[in-house]
């Protein structure tokens, strides 16, 4: 059962378009305004804009950097909340 | 976990592994421009090295890397390094986080963006690493009278039973 399912998934994967190919059908879609979707722009211009081969890094830290700043603030807030809830006060020490 | 482990295998293996894990964490942060990785993943690896040492050698281990009191301030510095990079670009007239707006003499705009991303990744890595270590330390710092049913009490050699201790006198 598991092998059959895995085989089905692998067979389906073989026909997916190449990763990072701007000619793939999903990058040919038009958004609501009628322009190409943002992913096609990122693929074609990531290296030219930031001289960085890894386009995921460029999207994460440059195009969408404010989003990433929010993620860091979420992590930091989790740390501060744990600090405030769990940390033993120094005056309680023996 | 607050005391040194008794097994020599755990002690030696964790001491050997922790440095390799941390070295790989630094590699993941710096090499994030060319391969999968970045600040979040590398920061988690750096924190894993510190937490591994503290699990094996007790709470006082590897305090020189991230001390218990300095974890939250260091996380603030990491987050502010990220936000401050955005503010620098704002000061030079660009949009927030628009690294290319910073005029660095002799370097083209894409290279400036390259180093902007690197600076931001360092900030993310520092924040994630210290927050994870801080959460680990905070969970260990629960008072002993509150974790009697959780496992071994804090002072296992203490002859006074835990139930008879007065929390107000400690």
């Amino acid at each position: 059962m598991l092998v059959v399912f895995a085989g089905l998934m692998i067979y389906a994967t073989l026909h997916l378009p190449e990763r990072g190919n701007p000619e793939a059908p999903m990058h040919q879609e038009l958004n609501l305004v009628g322009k190409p979707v943002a992913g096609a722009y990122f693929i074609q211009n990531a290296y030219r804009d930031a001289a960085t081969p890894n386009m995921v890094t460029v999207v994460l830290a440059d195009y969408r950097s404010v989003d990433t700043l929010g993620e860091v603030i979420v992590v930091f807030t989790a740390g501060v909340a744990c600090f405030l809830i769990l940390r033993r006060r120094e005056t309680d020490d023996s | 976990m607050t005391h040194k482990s008794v097994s020599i295998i755990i002690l030696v293996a964790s001491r050997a592994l922790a440095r390799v894990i941390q070295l790989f964490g630094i590699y993941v942060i710096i090499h994030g421009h060319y391969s999968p990785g970045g600040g979040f993943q590398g920061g988690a690896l750096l924190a894993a090295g510190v937490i591994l040492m503290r699990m094996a050698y007790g709470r006082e281990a590897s305090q020189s890397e991230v001390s218990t009191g300095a974890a939250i301030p260091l996380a603030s510095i990491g987050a502010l390094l990220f936000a401050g990079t955005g503010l620098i670009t704002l000061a030079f007239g660009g949009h927030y986080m628009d690294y290319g707006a910073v005029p660095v003499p002799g370097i083209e705009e894409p290279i400036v963006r390259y180093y902007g991303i690197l600076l931001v990744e360092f900030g993310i890595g520092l924040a994630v690493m210290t927050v994870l270590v801080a959460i680990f330390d905070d969970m260990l710092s629960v008072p002993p009278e509150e974790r009697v049913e959780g496992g071994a009490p804090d002072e296992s050699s203490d002859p006074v039973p835990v139930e008879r201790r007065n929390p107000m006198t400690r």
Side-chain angles (χ1 to χ4, degrees):
Chain A
M1 180 74 186
L2 196 65
V3 171
V4 168
F5 187 68
L8 196 67
M9 297 301 281
I10 291 170
Y11 176 72
T13 313
L14 290 177
H15 295 281
L16 282 178
E18 200 179 337
R19 190 174 71 99
N21 182 5
E23 308 293 324
M26 58 184 171
H27 298 306
Q28 301 298 317
E29 296 281 327
L30 301 180
N31 61 13
L32 292 176
V33 198
K35 291 182 177 167
V37 288
Y41 175 84
F42 293 156
I43 290 172
Q44 283 164 345
N45 294 300
Y47 187 77
R48 206 174 63 210
D49 283 348
T52 302
N54 187 358
M55 67 182 82
V56 177
T57 303
V58 181
V59 172
L60 199 71
D62 199 324
Y63 294 128
R64 296 264 183 262
S65 52
V66 179
D67 191 15
T68 311
L69 178 63
E71 290 178 41
V72 171
I73 288 173
V74 166
V75 170
F76 178 66
T77 310
V80 170
C82 282
F83 176 82
L84 293 175
I85 294 170
L86 294 173
R87 178 61 57 93
R88 173 167 49 171
R89 275 175 298 225
E90 295 300 321
T91 52
D92 290 348
D93 275 347
S94 56
Chain B
M1 275 193 281
T2 56
H3 293 285
K4 196 172 169 179
S5 173
V6 289
S7 166
I8 186 73
I9 298 174
I10 291 177
L11 292 179
V12 172
S14 64
R15 199 168 55 197
L17 269 177
R19 305 300 166 212
V20 179
I21 291 173
Q22 284 174 322
L23 191 65
F24 188 66
I26 295 172
Y27 162 79
V28 164
I29 291 181
I30 294 178
H31 210 253
H33 284 63
Y34 304 100
S35 64
F40 287 99
Q41 296 91 331
L45 280 168
L46 285 172
V50 175
I51 291 175
L52 180 64
M53 287 298 282
R54 291 198 182 164
M55 285 173 79
Y57 283 88
R59 199 191 305 176
E60 301 305 318
S62 62
Q63 289 283 338
S64 60
E65 289 156 27
V66 182
S67 73
T68 303
I72 289 290
L74 278 174
S76 315
I77 290 173
L80 285 175
L81 183 63
F82 194 157
T85 311
L87 287 178
I88 289 171
T89 66
L90 212 57
F92 281 103
H95 292 110
Y96 191 62
M97 295 285 179
D98 186 13
Y99 316 121
V102 180
V104 180
I107 302 180
E108 298 166 29
E109 185 188 324
I111 312 295
V112 175
R113 287 183 179 275
Y114 178 94
Y115 288 112
I117 291 173
L118 191 64
L119 201 61
V120 158
E121 298 278 7
F122 278 138
I124 297 170
L126 186 62
V128 170
M129 170 194 183
T130 50
V131 160
L132 287 176
V133 173
I135 291 174
F136 180 80
D137 283 342
D138 289 343
M139 286 198 283
L140 283 188
S141 72
V142 172
E145 59 266 20
E146 287 183 18
R147 54 174 155 129
V148 272
E149 69 270 355
D154 196 23
E155 293 98 19
S156 53
S157 61
D158 197 335
V160 181
V162 177
E163 293 83 10
R164 280 203 272 133
R165 279 192 208 138
N166 187 357
M168 301 306 293
T169 60
R170 290 177 50 79

